[in-house]
Each structure stands twice: as C-alpha cells, then as structure tokens.
C-alpha cells in the first residue's frame, strides 16, 4: 500500500472541458473540498473518491459523482486509487464544462486520466500499518528510553507529569519487536503500559 503526505494538483483539458484533479491526504479532504467549492464558483461538478483505513485496519471507500451520470466519474476515480494501491488518500476532481458533451465513455476516460495524471505528479510513500501504544516511564529512566526512540526513529508524543513521563508511540511491526526487547532491560517499577 502507498500514501501521500501533501496535496498535489494537476489539470487536463478534454474537448474544452477542464478537469482539475486534487490528490490529498484523507485528513485534508473535507477542508479541501469546502475550499475548492468557494474558489471554483463556476465549476459544474466536484467529483470525489477516497480510500481510508479504519481503526480495525479495514479499507473503507466512498465516492460521489456530483450529478455526473452514474458510474462515469467517481467510480473511475476510485478505481485509479485502487490500482495505485493508495490508502488514507482522497481525490477531488473539479470540472468546468466546455460546451461539448463527452458521452459516458468520454467521461470515464477523462476522469480516469485526470486522476492518473495527478498521481504521476505525486510522491507516493510506502504505507505500513502502525500500532499505537501508551506507556508511562519513570522520569529517572526516561533519558535511556528517549535515546531508544531516537535510535529507531519512533514517533512519539510525550507528556511530563511530576516523576513520570506519559508517552504515546506509533510503531510498525519491527519497531514494536525492538520495543519489547528493549523493555526487558527495565524493571516493572520503571514503566507501565497504559
């Protein structure tokens, strides 16, 4: 699976109709859609599709044709996201009608091409499923633990409270195994899983 970490955009023109495609991380989707609707007042369609992992690591998909004929716009866009194995990613296609009807086949090709072109311009990153773990560490042993986090490039959020540090970790499988090995060096009074 792959994902992105910023917004990308690209434009194609098909028989005088302009298709602006915006590829974005799913977290930015709703705000971007609202912004595009305010910025592109003369656009006739705002088609979207997205794929996201839920808390059970199941892929959830949704799409909207925004008054284009059913199956001619959002489904082709979603299929391109699937074909590129994109996850936690959304695409919004803003269409300006150019006066020439494209027909169902023409719409399918145009929307597919718009999404393919914006993906070509994007930097795709490997996506790995991560687990969130919460742990409390005795302040005396925190520096050793912090060194471990930096050594294995583990992203964390730290909250200092009196003589303990509450840490939320995002770990891939390898990092989780390294954490288990590392924690064997600590006594149970030094740390606790929350």
């Amino acid at each position: 699976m792959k994902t992105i970490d910023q917004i990308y955009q690209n434009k194609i023109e098909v028989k005088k109709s302009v298709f602006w495609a915006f590829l974005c991380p799913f977290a930015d989707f709703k705000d971007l859609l609202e912004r595009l609707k305010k910025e592109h007042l003369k656009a006739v369609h705002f088609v979207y599709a997205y794929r996201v992992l839920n808390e059970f690591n199941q892929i959830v998909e949704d799409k909207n044709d925004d008054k284009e004929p059913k199956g001619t716009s959002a489904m082709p866009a979603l299929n391109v996201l699937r074909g590129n194995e994109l996850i936690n990613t959304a695409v919004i296609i803003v269409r300006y009608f150019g006066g020439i009807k494209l027909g169902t086949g023409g719409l399918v090709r145009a929307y597919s091409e718009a999404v393919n072109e914006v993906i070509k311009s994007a930097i795709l990153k490997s996506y790995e499923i991560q687990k969130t773990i919460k742990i409390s560490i005795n302040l005396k042993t925190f520096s050793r633990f912090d060194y471990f986090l930096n050594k294995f490039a583990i992203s964390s959020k730290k909250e200092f409270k009196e003589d303990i540090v509450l840490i939320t970790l995002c770990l891939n499988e390898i990092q989780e195994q390294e954490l288990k090995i590392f924690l064997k060096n600590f006594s149970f009074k030094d740390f606790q899983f929350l």
Side-chain angles (χ1 to χ4, degrees):
M1 290 188 282
K2 298 175 193 130
T3 193
I4 56 170
D5 61 4
Q6 68 183 62
I7 299 171
Y8 297 92
Q9 69 181 48
N10 200 16
K11 176 178 90 167
I12 66 165
E13 191 171 323
V14 179
K15 294 185 179 177
K16 298 185 180 180
S17 280
V18 176
F19 296 82
W20 279 98
F22 297 84
L23 190 70
C24 68
F26 182 72
D28 299 329
F29 167 66
K30 287 182 182 173
D31 290 339
L32 180 60
L33 183 59
E34 282 181 32
R35 192 184 87 206
L36 291 174
K37 287 182 177 184
K38 290 175 185 170
E39 290 175 4
H40 297 269
L41 297 173
K42 293 187 179 182
V44 290
H45 301 287
F46 294 86
V47 171
Y48 68 79
Y50 62 78
R51 301 180 79 221
V52 64
L53 278 182
N54 67 13
E55 66 271 18
F56 306 109
N57 291 323
Q58 300 165 318
I59 297 173
V60 176
E61 301 174 328
D62 197 13
K63 61 188 175 13
N64 187 313
D65 289 309
D66 192 32
K67 301 181 200 110
E68 287 282 32
K70 187 175 179 178
T72 62
S73 54
M75 195 63 199
L78 180 59
N79 284 335
V80 173
L81 293 179
R82 288 174 177 163
N84 285 278
E85 298 180 345
L86 282 164
I87 200 69
N88 293 347
T89 304
V91 65
I92 302 165
I93 306 99
V94 179
R95 181 183 179 197
Y96 286 86
F97 182 61
I100 300 171
K101 292 193 176 190
L102 303 180
T104 56
L107 285 171
V108 169
R109 284 188 295 279
Y111 278 99
S112 297
E113 182 185 346
V115 179
N116 274 314
E117 289 301 314
V118 76
I119 289 172
K120 282 182 193 174
S121 71
I123 297 171
L124 304 182
K125 300 182 180 266
S126 290
Y127 179 83
E128 52 189 358
I129 295 173
Q130 293 192 326
K131 185 186 246 183
T132 301
I133 295 176
K134 294 184 179 187
I135 191 169
S136 72
I137 296 282
N138 186 316
L139 191 57
K140 289 182 247 173
T141 57
F142 172 71
S143 60
R144 281 177 55 205
F145 194 78
D146 198 41
Y147 175 79
F148 165 79
L149 296 178
N150 291 326
K151 180 179 175 184
F152 288 96
I154 297 173
S155 65
S156 63
K157 182 181 170 190
K158 302 168 189 101
E159 186 181 341
F160 294 86
K161 295 198 172 198
E162 295 178 21
D163 60 343
I164 63 164
V165 182
L166 302 174
I167 305 173
T168 304
L169 306 169
C170 290
L171 308 165
N172 61 32
E173 284 183 46
I174 294 168
Q175 292 168 330
E176 186 179 4
Q177 293 306 317
E178 292 295 338
L179 176 66
K180 286 178 184 175
I181 293 166
F182 178 74
L183 289 176
K184 287 180 182 177
N185 298 321
F186 286 88
S187 72
F188 286 107
K189 63 184 175 193
D190 292 330
F191 77 94
Q192 179 180 357
F193 287 105
L194 304 175

